[in-house]
């Protein structure tokens, strides 16, 4: 059964995650598809400026190592997290087929 997604503002999502003891990480920020920052601009300096001006007070980190992030994205995002004392994370795409995890 598909459940509808509940839309949250970044502030609401941040508060919810932090109240639950979690951290909020911007995932696949430069992925070419979907709803990433790449849909706004492909320029990494502009992407990190958007994060700094609009998101940094709410998030705890960035996903750096992602299968669709190129070397330039990894370097720019890693530099950004180091300068702003954010978490640097990595992940694999298992959202579409979680039942395949570990097979």
């Amino acid at each position: 059964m598909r459940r509808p997604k509940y839309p949250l503002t970044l502030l609401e999502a941040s508060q919810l995650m932090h109240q639950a003891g979690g951290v909020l990480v911007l995932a696949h920020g430069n992925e070419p598809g979907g709803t990433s920052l790449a849909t706004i601009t492909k320029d990494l300096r502009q992407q990190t400026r958007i994060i700094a001006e609009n998101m940094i007070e709410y998030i705890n980190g960035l996903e750096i190592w992602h299968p669709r992030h190129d070397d330039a994205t990894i370097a720019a995002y890693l530099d950004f997290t180091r300068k702003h004392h954010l978490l640097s994370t990595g992940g694999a795409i298992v959202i579409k087929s979680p039942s395949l995890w570990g097979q």
Side-chain angles (χ1 to χ4, degrees), residues 25-29 31 62-69 74 77 87-95 101:
V25 174
L26 175 62
H28 37 84
E31 182 181 357
L62 299 177
E63 182 181 38
I64 307 296
W65 299 277
H66 179 277
R68 294 192 188 117
H69 281 176
I74 292 168
Y77 281 13
L87 298 171
S88 300
T89 69
I93 299 175
V94 295
I95 296 167
W101 187 277

Side-chain angles (χ1 to χ4, degrees), residues 28-100:
H28 37 84
N30 195 33
E31 182 181 357
T35 57
S36 73
L37 291 170
T39 62
I40 299 170
T41 179
K42 294 187 185 333
D43 185 282
L44 293 168
R45 283 178 286 192
Q46 289 181 5
Q47 288 182 18
T48 54
R49 185 177 46 88
I50 290 168
I51 296 167
E53 292 176 0
N54 300 288
M55 301 177 191
I56 200 163
E57 66 184 287
Y58 306 109
I59 63 174
N60 303 101
L62 299 177
E63 182 181 38
I64 307 296
W65 299 277
H66 179 277
R68 294 192 188 117
H69 281 176
D70 59 19
D71 290 342
T73 301
I74 292 168
Y77 281 13
L78 191 56
D79 183 58
F80 184 84
T81 58
R82 287 176 175 159
K83 284 181 182 173
H84 295 280
H85 307 286
L86 297 172
L87 298 171
S88 300
T89 69
I93 299 175
V94 295
I95 296 167
K96 294 180 182 175
S97 299
S99 61
L100 298 177

Side-chain angles (χ1 to χ4, degrees), residues 8-16 18 24 57-58:
L8 298 172
T9 66
L10 188 51
L11 172 62
E12 292 168 328
S14 177
Q15 289 173 338
L16 185 63
H18 294 137
L24 191 61
E57 66 184 287
Y58 306 109

